[in-house]
Amino acid sequence: MNNQVYIFDTTLRDGEQSPGASLNIKEKIEIAKTLEQLQVDVIEAGFPISSRGDFKSVKTISTHIKNTTIAALARASEQDINAAYEALKDCKNKRIHTFLATSDIHLKYKLKMDRNSVLEKAVHAVKYAKNLGVEVEFSAEDAARTDLDYLCKITESVIAAGADIVNIPDTVGYALPNEFAERIKTLFNKVSNIDQAIISVHCHNDLGLAVANTLEAITNGARQIECTINGLGERAGNAALEEIIMTLKTRQNALNLTTNINTKNIYKTSRLVSNLTGIAVQRNKAIVGANAFAHEAGIHQHGVLSHTETYEIMTPESIGLKTSNIVLGKHSGRHAFINKLEKLGYSFEKVKIDELFFKFKELADKKKDIFDEDIQALATDEFNNKKNDFLKLKLFSVLSGNQEIPHAKVKIIKDGKEVQASANGDGPVDAAYNAIEKVAGIELKLEDYNIRAISRGKDAMGEVIVQVSASNLSFYGKGTSTDIVEASIKAYVDAVNKILRNTKLKS
Ligand code: KIV
Ligand code: ZN
């Protein structure tokens, strides 16, 4: 059997379904371009029928990405498939990914259909998509809980109908690794035409087993993996791309499987996705967490210094992580700045570079040493600086002290007009948030607040990530600054803008 495993990245579809994650088109294009540099084989760009925004994203990504296959999701209906086809029209390498639930529990309570009708519907959808002349993937939703004989029958039927790829999702993250392995093995033993399609897996992480289940599946014959950057996705997320890839690379001796991924781009992609979604990567997360290559215990440090392999099974360089070095400072020129931006994987138009260079100089006046992380923060801020934001912070001032009632004043551009508000709070950040709430004119609730230094030193930039909700919407927002109150305000305004944007989209 061929030892090449194809990587299907669904960060922009399943990943974007993470609670609180929301990306605009510009951000999605940037992620898609970075995924292309990472050399994934397929980018699932969205679910075109689900919203106008998703349709537009798939369409726009289709025109920007030239070498990677773009997949669009569709339920097993002609209307969904037509929308996916329409969105993919300008795409060079397109795939329609159609899905239908196959487990009895979904048939009974969700679809209210019997097994024969589901089988017919699946076959019809695959034939219909195939007739459009595109590559077709069929997913048997909740396959891990589907009666195994029935799953074999569906798999055989959709392959006979023309499916190029058949995906076996563990939609609810229920399977145990040995059970999932057995399931894939049985498909290979019982489905007579299995060699005519690629078998794919898509594992959710509800029990923390998504990566283990994925590895079991490829050991038993599956050759496509569906995964996301940083393990983003519905509920507890999907299998994390970086964990699977680095397992395949580090344990090549045991697994003997290869992929097209350029592992040196893993870290950069992880940071970009975290920065743009506003979803922080936990410090102890495998591969891309801040502590993944940090050796705290003296005995470990000593071992690593004498011979890295004593405690390091892979190098930080293999995922493109360089130890943070001082890169630029007050006297650095434009050329060095542009060079650094390019090295970090950012590309901007000339006008944007001018603006960024100005901001870089401002930052260099405030802090002596500028690290890679500082430049990344500036570049991400530029992405977050959306022209059509509802609220834009113009200025703020706060009064705080152990003998004062904390007070904040904000001036914000709202719908093109300058609006000023002031409020008290139980601290300067709370006061500023109360003032912003007055400007926004909606009731807001701060669900979560996190702050960290993004580089080293007393003058380091602070990064604040907040989760803010209003009625039944909840979004993350991120802000960076050398001033933590400013970073807090920027993060709050970012989240509130997402809430307002989504409220407007819905109305
Ligand atoms: O989890 C799932 O089953 C899915 C399908 C649409 C593939 O996301
Ligand atoms: Zn899923």
Side-chain angles (χ1 to χ4, degrees), residues 13-14 169 171 202 204 234 238:
R13 200 275 300 169
D14 223 334
T171 304
H202 172 117
H204 278 269
E234 280 271 359
N238 290 57

Side-chain angles (χ1 to χ4, degrees), residues 174-208:
Y174 179 75
L176 296 175
N178 64 325
E179 290 170 356
F180 204 56
E182 213 39 56
R183 194 154 275 259
I184 301 298
K185 213 185 280 174
T186 307
L187 284 169
F188 275 91
N189 287 335
K190 290 205 174 154
V191 174
S192 64
N193 53 3
I194 198 126
D195 56 332
Q196 288 164 39
I198 291 173
I199 297 303
S200 165
V201 289
H202 172 117
C203 298
H204 278 269
N205 204 29
D206 299 67
L207 295 173

